Amino acid sequence: MKVDISKLLDGTVEVINFCKNVDIPSLTVKGREIELLAPVNIDGGIYRADEDLFINATITYTYKENCARCLAEFSNKVSTVLLGRLVEQDNNVSEEEIDEILVVYKESIVDLQEFINSAILLSLPMKALCNEACKGLCPKCGQNLNLQKCNCEDDFIDPRFAKLKELLD
């Protein structure tokens, strides 16, 4: 998604608003495939504050993934924000400023695609769960414990407490 900010740079306007849908079929992070079910919605604007330019946008997307506990496929809708200061690519920027800069533009065009992808990846949970109370799979028979309780007995005894078990027998 590219935004022309030439009118903002020459002072013709103070704000450039946008509301667009961007088609991103999937993203991959550390072997984890994230399938986006619908176009990603970006709603926000680029505005001038004194001599600086800033971006403030809301990114809304729906993704499909497998649960880390029960392996069931689920979908989730997430909203996140894209905030930052815009800096021209040719400017000499100090090391301290690099940490606070989010978006770089070149020749009055801002290409937001890389920054949208980064915002989506940063907003994903580290461990994908279908819900917080997911019980997962039975380690013996593989039954999804969210759907049905299995008849497997949990006979695991911590080796540190094995002697205590002998006292009870």
Side-chain angles (χ1 to χ4, degrees), residues 11-132:
T12 307
V13 296
E14 291 295 316
V15 177
I16 296 175
N17 291 312
F18 50 83
C19 183
K20 293 189 178 184
N21 289 326
V22 178
D23 190 31
I24 304 171
S26 66
L27 296 170
T28 304
V29 56
K30 293 191 175 192
R32 184 174 158 195
E33 185 74 22
I34 312 299
E35 183 182 345
L36 300 173
L37 298 176
V40 177
N41 180 271
I42 295 95
D43 186 13
I46 300 173
Y47 60 93
R48 176 181 298 284
D50 294 327
E51 296 299 314
D52 292 327
L53 300 175
F54 294 92
I55 185 169
N56 183 0
T58 302
I59 299 172
T60 307
Y61 63 96
T62 304
Y63 70 97
K64 178 173 73 171
E65 197 173 16
N66 290 335
C67 179
R69 289 185 190 157
C70 68
L71 303 178
E73 195 174 82
F74 71 97
S75 64
N76 193 12
K77 187 172 185 175
V78 178
S79 285
T80 187
V81 292
L82 175 63
L83 298 170
R85 184 169 64 119
L86 276 70
V87 175
E88 191 169 8
Q89 187 174 14
D90 300 333
N91 280 359
N92 292 330
V93 181
S94 70
E95 290 290 325
E96 295 168 359
E97 287 181 312
I98 288 176
D99 293 336
E100 69 183 59
I101 295 171
L102 181 60
V103 181
V104 178
Y105 67 91
K106 184 177 182 180
E107 298 175 3
S108 74
I109 300 292
V110 180
D111 188 0
L112 295 175
Q113 190 65 48
E114 177 185 336
F115 304 104
I116 292 168
N117 291 350
S118 294
I120 290 171
L121 291 175
L122 289 172
S123 68
L124 288 169
M126 293 182 79
K127 190 174 192 179
L129 298 177
C130 56
N131 65 57
E132 288 296 320

Side-chain angles (χ1 to χ4, degrees), residues 67 69-73 130 134-138 141-150:
C67 179
R69 289 185 190 157
C70 68
L71 303 178
E73 195 174 82
C130 56
C134 179
K135 297 175 185 175
L137 301 175
C138 173
C141 68
Q143 172 66 39
N144 185 341
L145 299 174
N146 295 317
L147 302 175
Q148 177 180 340
K149 185 167 172 51
C150 66

